[in-house]
Amino acid sequence: MATASASIAGRSLEQKNLRIGLMALVMAAVMVGMGFAAVPLYQMFCQVTGFGGTTQVASESDAAMAERLAASAGAPPISIRFDASTARGMPWTFAPEHTTDTVQIGTRDLAFYTARNNADVPITGAATFNVEPEQAAPYFNKIQCFCFTEQTLQPGEEMRMPVLFYVDPAALDDPNMEGVEQITLSYTFHRARNEDKPEGGG
């Protein structure tokens, strides 16, 4: 009888350990999956909320509606500062054509950046961006931008890169935007992830 009880207890312990082991494996798989999903989920969160200075993407119809609202509200002008940099190991020269511009809130504006490949091989780059101050990010809307896709420049090639944007007049109703007189739009060009570094030319 004692032997049977011990056998049952042993099987029960084995089943319990098996359940714990399976739960641990499931949790590990979930954590790995969350790790892979963290970056795109974070990017999606930033795009929706403007967190981390991430700008918004708008359509032409959105821009037209914003312009009508701004006109009816008598929206004031605001200063936009353009900033540019390249990541370490990126052999490009990259700069805005104009460092500042004054735009009417709600009105579309077109700015240009210039990039030049100083390497002796083609280089593909991808631009990251942010807006400061952070509370302005949800109201900074880009209709067209070179940052939406990767850019490839041939050796010595120079390219003008446009950004079509507007500042949403909804910013006028946000108390956190009170006193904000200038918004800074910053871009940093990095090598594309799937690209090998050239042997020469930077």
Side-chain angles (χ1 to χ4, degrees), residues 66-112:
E67 195 161 2
R68 289 194 296 270
L69 290 172
S72 63
I78 191 167
S79 174
I80 307 295
R81 188 174 77 87
F82 303 101
D83 184 55
S85 62
T86 54
R88 184 177 180 180
M90 182 61 166
W92 284 13
T93 301
F94 177 54
E97 289 192 352
H98 301 284
T99 55
T100 59
D101 193 9
T102 299
V103 303
Q104 203 76 21
I105 290 179
T107 301
R108 281 164 282 198
D109 194 61
L110 184 64
F112 284 92

Side-chain angles (χ1 to χ4, degrees), residues 21-179:
L22 288 173
M23 289 175 63
L25 286 173
V26 170
M27 288 299 295
V30 169
M31 293 301 291
V32 170
M34 288 179 65
F36 280 111
V39 172
L41 286 175
Y42 178 77
Q43 290 175 339
M44 186 183 300
F45 171 76
C46 290
Q47 289 173 352
V48 171
T49 64
F51 182 78
T54 302
T55 62
Q56 308 299 296
V57 179
S59 65
E60 283 285 358
S61 59
D62 293 332
M65 182 179 296
E67 195 161 2
R68 289 194 296 270
L69 290 172
S72 63
I78 191 167
S79 174
I80 307 295
R81 188 174 77 87
F82 303 101
D83 184 55
S85 62
T86 54
R88 184 177 180 180
M90 182 61 166
W92 284 13
T93 301
F94 177 54
E97 289 192 352
H98 301 284
T99 55
T100 59
D101 193 9
T102 299
V103 303
Q104 203 76 21
I105 290 179
T107 301
R108 281 164 282 198
D109 194 61
L110 184 64
F112 284 92
Y113 283 73
T114 301
R116 177 184 173 83
N117 179 10
N118 300 316
D120 55 9
V121 294
I123 298 290
T124 298
T128 56
F129 54 87
N130 77 308
V131 161
E132 293 180 350
E134 285 191 10
Q135 65 264 33
Y139 306 109
F140 197 98
N141 292 267
K142 288 184 291 189
I143 305 166
Q144 297 175 6
C145 182
F146 59 86
C147 59
F148 293 162
T149 57
E150 294 181 347
Q151 306 292 329
T152 299
L153 297 183
Q154 299 302 313
E157 182 182 3
E158 185 171 297
M159 181 185 294
R160 294 181 79 214
M161 300 179 174
V163 184
L164 182 61
F165 67 93
Y166 68 93
V167 178
D168 194 327
L172 300 173
D173 299 323
D174 187 346
N176 293 320
M177 287 293 291
E178 189 174 345

